[in-house]
């Protein structure tokens, strides 16, 4: 076996010191070593986006990033987005607008949508569809996902105005 | 899918990285954003014994303007190019790569070094007649886009060389268009076309560069279409006529999405559309 590498990754605000095999993928570090099973493995070929997390504030597909590449970085997963009592506006939006059926794609959708709203706080429908083109959903036909993101964008804009 | 085992280093300097790559032998590889290499490793189509990660090497990222050129660090991510609207066509091409998650990780140096004729930036690099710096144990050397792509996934980079910078001429006064035809939004293009057009004061075509993805084992210039348009008045008729020559002299490989005949057809249609955008 190749030598393990010591890395430090800040995951949802908590610093994690772990020793990993160089070939360990970030998604497996999160799921198997750290127990954060919200990030899903779908296609495992950087197509479907179910494994999307934020790495230093930008969305990425964690099935196509080595854990060692995240050394010294900050990772945010769906578990870091909100709590049951205090949902993130995107989580609220997916709930209110029925943006999911089976739910498998939802964590990745929300993490990709968070990047989209960071880049484009008030997106058009077309910008939402374009911004989420790296995420596949086999249930909803996307219409309610678009509505969920619009719902969140509106909530986040009005929160900013009142802040 | 898990890659085969490999050793990993992330050196702090370029010299250390090149030394590590050289010491690692023929099966060592440089790692930039990993979005060409890691998918191949997961499929076990590539099994390097050592990855030399460039992420800690300083000075490899960013876009600066110098002497009529854009200097783009090899580790500059597609998302940075996407957001650098002053880059014109390069920004537009970068914004069309795969999806946002991929653009946030993939780098221009990695994309060029991979040398995939289906990839967007290789084609833009050829259209711009850019140059790049390849740095190895003996120091840096300059390689022109016209000499860089040699065959399918094969470039002029030596085994122990790494791309450190990419330069694109600023091409003042050129209009541009980029058209790609995909089966799904995030796919590689079946055929993509970059067109750069400079219009003379009298409305004729002073200069034109057309480069195509996926029409051969490397990105290709559509020379016959360029020759048909250069010096001619730029209108719908001349553009359509020139675009009709886009596939001349090419021998595109059929793939699961498109037959050779369909690619030749697409090359003409995408060229007409890209030229039309470039002359608006």
């Amino acid at each position: 076996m190749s030598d393990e590498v010591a890395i430090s990754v800040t995951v949802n605000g908590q610093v994690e010191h772990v020793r990993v095999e160089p070939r360990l993928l970030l998604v497996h570090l999160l799921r198997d070593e750290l127990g954060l099973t919200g990030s899903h493995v779908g296609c495992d070929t950087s197509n479907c986006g179910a494994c999307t997390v934020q790495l230093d504030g930008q969305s990425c597909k964690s099935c196509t990033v080595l854990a060692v590449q995240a050394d010294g970085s900050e990772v945010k997963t769906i578990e870091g987005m909100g709590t049951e009592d205090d949902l993130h506006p995107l989580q609220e939006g997916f709930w209110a607008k029925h943006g999911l059926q089976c739910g498998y794609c939802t964590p990745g959708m929300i993490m990709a949508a968070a990047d989209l709203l960071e880049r484009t706080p008030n997106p058009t429908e077309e910008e939402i569809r374009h911004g989420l083109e790296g995420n596949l959903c086999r249930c909803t036909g996307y219409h309610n996902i678009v509505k969920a993101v619009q719902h969140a964008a509106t909530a986040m804009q009005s929160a900013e105005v009142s802040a | 899918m898990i890659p085969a085992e490999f050793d990993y280093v992330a050196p702090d300097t370029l010299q250390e990285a090149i030394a590590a790559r050289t010491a690692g032998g023929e099966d060592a590889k440089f790692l930039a954003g990993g979005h060409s290499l890691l998918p191949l490793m997961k499929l076990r189509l590539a099994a390097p014994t050592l990855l030399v990660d460039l992420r800690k090497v300083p000075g490899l990222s960013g876009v600066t303007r110098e002497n009529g050129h854009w200097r783009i660090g090899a580790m500059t991510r597609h998302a940075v190019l996407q957001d650098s609207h002053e880059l014109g066509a390069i920004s537009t091409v970068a914004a069309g790569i795969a999806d946002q998650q991929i653009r946030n990780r993939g780098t221009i140096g990695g994309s060029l070094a991979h040398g995939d004729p289906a990839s967007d930036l290789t084609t833009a690099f050829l259209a711009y007649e850019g140059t790049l710096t390849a740095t190895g144990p003996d120091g840096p050397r300059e390689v022109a886009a016209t000499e860089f792509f040699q065959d399918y996934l094969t470039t002029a980079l030596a085994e122990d060389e790494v791309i450190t910078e990419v330069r694109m001429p600023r091409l003042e006064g050129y209009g541009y268009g980029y058209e790609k035809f995909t089966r799904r939004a995030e796919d590689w293009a079946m055929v993509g076309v970059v067109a750069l057009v400079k219009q003379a004061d009298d409305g004729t075509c002073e200069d034109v560069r057309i480069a195509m993805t996926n029409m051969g084992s490397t990105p290709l210039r559509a020379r016959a279409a360029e020759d048909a348009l250069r010096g001619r008045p730029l209108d719908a008729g001349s553009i359509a006529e020139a675009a009709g020559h886009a596939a001349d002299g090419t021998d595109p490989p059929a793939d699961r999405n498109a037959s050779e005949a369909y690619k030749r057809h697409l090359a003409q249609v995408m060229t007409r559309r890209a030229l039309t955008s470039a002359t608006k």
Side-chain angles (χ1 to χ4, degrees):
Chain A
M1 197 169 96
S2 46
D3 288 343
E4 289 193 338
V5 178
I7 62 170
S8 302
V9 187
T10 304
V11 181
N12 299 329
Q14 189 173 331
V15 183
E16 306 281 355
H17 301 282
V18 285
R19 294 188 67 82
V20 299
E21 252 196 286
R23 63 175 172 166
L24 183 74
L25 301 170
L26 179 59
V27 69
H28 293 136
L29 171 71
L30 296 170
R31 289 178 55 84
D32 304 342
E33 308 281 327
L34 303 178
L36 298 168
T37 54
S39 306
H40 295 157
V41 178
C43 70
D44 209 1
T45 54
S46 61
N47 277 284
C48 79
C51 65
T52 300
V53 301
Q54 292 203 339
L55 184 55
D56 291 330
Q58 293 191 313
S59 61
C60 72
K61 293 179 173 175
S62 61
C63 77
T64 309
V65 176
L66 299 170
V68 286
Q69 289 179 287
D71 181 28
S73 293
E74 295 200 11
V75 175
K76 192 178 207 181
T77 70
I78 188 67
E79 289 89 345
M81 290 296 277
T83 64
E84 266 185 61
D85 298 327
D86 183 21
L87 293 177
H88 185 280
L90 276 163
Q91 294 169 313
E92 180 82 24
F94 273 73
W95 174 70
K97 296 295 175 185
H98 310 284
L100 62 143
Q101 288 179 33
C102 86
Y104 198 85
C105 74
T106 313
M109 282 285 177
I110 288 178
M111 299 314 289
D115 189 308
L116 165 67
L117 293 181
E118 181 74 28
R119 300 177 66 88
T120 317
N122 193 15
T124 62
E125 178 184 339
E126 192 188 343
E127 285 170 329
I128 294 171
R129 290 182 183 275
H130 186 60
L132 296 180
E133 68 194 358
N135 293 73
L136 302 181
C137 171
R138 301 289 77 162
C139 303
T140 63
Y142 301 99
H143 291 297
N144 285 354
I145 290 176
V146 173
K147 288 178 191 165
V149 176
Q150 284 168 330
H151 183 88
T154 305
M156 289 163 78
Q157 294 268 288
S158 56
E160 206 156 277
V161 169
S162 60
Chain B
M1 296 174 298
I2 312 291
E5 287 179 6
F6 56 87
D7 290 318
Y8 171 88
V9 290
D12 292 313
T13 69
L14 185 62
Q15 287 70 24
E16 287 170 358
I18 291 168
R21 168 70 185 79
T22 305
E26 61 177 352
D27 290 328
K29 290 284 273 183
F30 288 111
L31 175 66
H35 274 54
S36 298
L37 182 56
L38 293 179
L40 290 179
M41 289 170 61
K42 290 176 68 182
L43 294 166
R44 307 264 176 136
L45 295 172
T49 50
L50 170 70
L51 285 190
V52 180
D53 192 343
L54 299 167
R55 67 187 166 87
K56 292 183 184 171
V57 174
L60 292 184
S61 289
V63 180
T64 51
R65 186 175 154 173
E66 189 184 284
N67 294 338
H69 280 74
W70 295 109
R71 294 177 55 186
I72 305 170
M75 288 286 279
T76 306
R77 298 189 192 276
H78 305 327
V80 172
L81 301 179
Q82 169 188 7
D83 293 339
S84 302
H85 300 292
E86 67 277 15
L87 294 177
I90 302 161
S91 175
T92 300
V93 168
I97 298 170
D99 53 56
Q100 193 62 52
Q101 291 99 311
I102 305 291
R103 293 192 292 271
N104 286 342
R105 295 294 298 168
T107 68
I108 186 169
S111 181
L112 296 185
H114 188 53
D116 191 334
S119 76
D120 306 78
L121 283 172
T122 57
T123 307
F125 181 55
L126 189 66
Y128 269 81
E129 298 179 2
T131 58
L132 57 78
T133 303
T135 306
D138 300 327
R141 70 183 175 107
E142 189 168 314
V143 186
T146 45
E147 290 157 17
F148 186 69
F149 302 110
Q150 299 190 333
D151 202 347
Y152 184 68
L153 304 186
T154 305
T155 71
L157 272 186
E159 231 169 49
D160 51 3
E161 281 182 323
V162 60
I163 299 173
T164 44
E165 185 179 275
V166 181
R167 286 172 300 282
M168 306 273 201
R170 295 192 56 228
L171 298 186
E172 300 270 5
Y174 283 70
Y176 62 88
Y178 184 53
E179 295 288 336
K180 63 195 270 193
F181 200 77
T182 54
R183 183 172 288 272
R184 302 171 305 175
E186 61 186 345
D187 276 350
W188 279 278
M190 295 179 209
V191 175
V193 173
V194 180
L196 303 165
V197 180
K198 186 169 193 185
Q199 197 162 346
D201 292 339
D202 63 0
T204 59
C205 173
E206 184 178 325
D207 188 29
V208 55
R209 290 106 174 271
I210 302 166
M212 306 181 289
T213 71
N214 247 346
M215 286 297 287
S217 60
T218 66
L220 291 179
R221 288 283 285 274
R223 296 283 186 190
E226 293 176 1
D227 291 343
L229 195 59
R230 201 173 285 113
R232 296 274 311 276
L234 286 166
D235 55 41
S238 65
I239 285 173
E241 194 188 321
H245 293 286
D248 289 7
T250 65
D251 185 19
D255 58 39
R256 64 179 176 176
N257 285 325
S259 65
E260 177 184 342
Y262 186 46
K263 282 188 175 182
R264 296 171 69 87
H265 172 72
L266 278 178
Q268 297 173 39
V269 176
M270 294 300 114
T271 297
R272 177 167 51 76
R273 290 181 187 170
L275 286 170
T276 303
S277 305
T279 50
K280 262 185 192 149

